[in-house]
Amino acid sequence: MQQNRSKRPVLFVDVDGVISLFGFDRSSPPAGRFHNVEGIPHWIGECSGALLSRLASHFELVWATGWEERANEHLPHLLELEQELPTLTFDGRKVFGEAHWKIEAVADYARGRPAAWIDDSLDERCEAWAEEREEPTLLVETDAAVGLTEEHVDELVAWAEKVTADAGSAA
């Protein structure tokens, strides 16, 4: 796991259900298109790259996905991101449809820093972790059929600006 201890808050970004959409009505899909990733079709939301780029000016973005390092093999190019992102590894703990198995890696990376986490499968264990942290923490849950939206980005940017301003006034 790569780490960058920048002063910006960290944002953990899931892929499936956030960037790669599923469960939508095939007769009226969201804006985007299918991309073949290792032989598996993934519907990538049309604005995902631009939305992540907007978030990158406020956060250190980190892939928090079962894709692990494969996220950097495929997504920076598909999303037109300027660079690869740090990637969490989960040591075989992946469970599709849940996010609690990510908590240990997320907690280790976020230690001592404000952190936000966007995922389509946040549960009460994720919420308990967020509430127990001393550092500012925000969980943002997406609808897997819609993924990352402007509203999510607005919420995350406002939170990051407040956390950064609060840290500046406390210093």
Side-chain angles (χ1 to χ4, degrees):
M1 165 176 41
Q2 306 166 13
Q3 283 185 304
N4 170 1
R5 293 298 180 183
S6 70
K7 295 184 193 275
R8 295 176 299 163
V10 62
L11 172 58
F12 298 100
V13 181
D14 182 30
V15 174
D16 294 316
V18 177
I19 306 300
S20 175
L21 310 180
F22 60 91
F24 52 85
D25 180 353
R26 296 287 177 116
S27 66
S28 59
R33 67 186 189 106
F34 278 114
H35 293 271
N36 185 353
V37 178
E38 297 179 359
I40 300 169
H42 287 270
W43 188 270
I44 305 297
E46 182 177 77
C47 297
S48 297
L51 295 173
L52 286 175
S53 293
R54 185 171 158 216
L55 289 166
S57 63
H58 299 277
F59 290 93
E60 175 195 355
L61 302 181
V62 176
W63 294 126
T65 173
W67 290 37
E68 295 182 331
E69 70 283 342
R70 292 182 358 262
N72 278 326
E73 293 171 15
H74 303 284
L75 294 175
H77 171 72
L78 287 177
L79 300 172
E80 299 179 3
L81 299 178
E82 293 183 17
Q83 62 188 21
E84 293 183 352
L85 305 180
T87 304
L88 298 183
T89 56
F90 302 104
D91 302 322
R93 293 183 292 246
K94 297 181 240 182
V95 178
F96 184 76
E98 298 182 10
H100 66 84
W101 52 271
K102 299 178 184 179
I103 293 172
E104 185 178 339
V106 166
D108 286 346
Y109 196 99
R111 188 166 284 115
R113 295 177 64 187
W117 180 2
I118 188 163
D119 201 304
D120 68 310
S121 296
L122 299 168
D123 62 18
E124 65 281 347
R125 291 165 283 193
C126 301
E127 292 168 10
W129 167 80
E131 289 174 15
E132 292 169 4
R133 292 189 79 227
E134 291 181 22
E135 301 83 7
T137 305
L138 175 66
L139 300 180
V140 176
E141 190 161 10
T142 63
D143 175 342
V146 177
L148 180 63
T149 65
E150 286 283 349
E151 292 77 18
H152 296 129
V153 173
D154 291 344
E155 177 184 5
L156 286 159
V157 167
W159 181 85
E161 287 174 345
K162 180 181 182 327
V163 166
T164 301
D166 290 350
S169 62

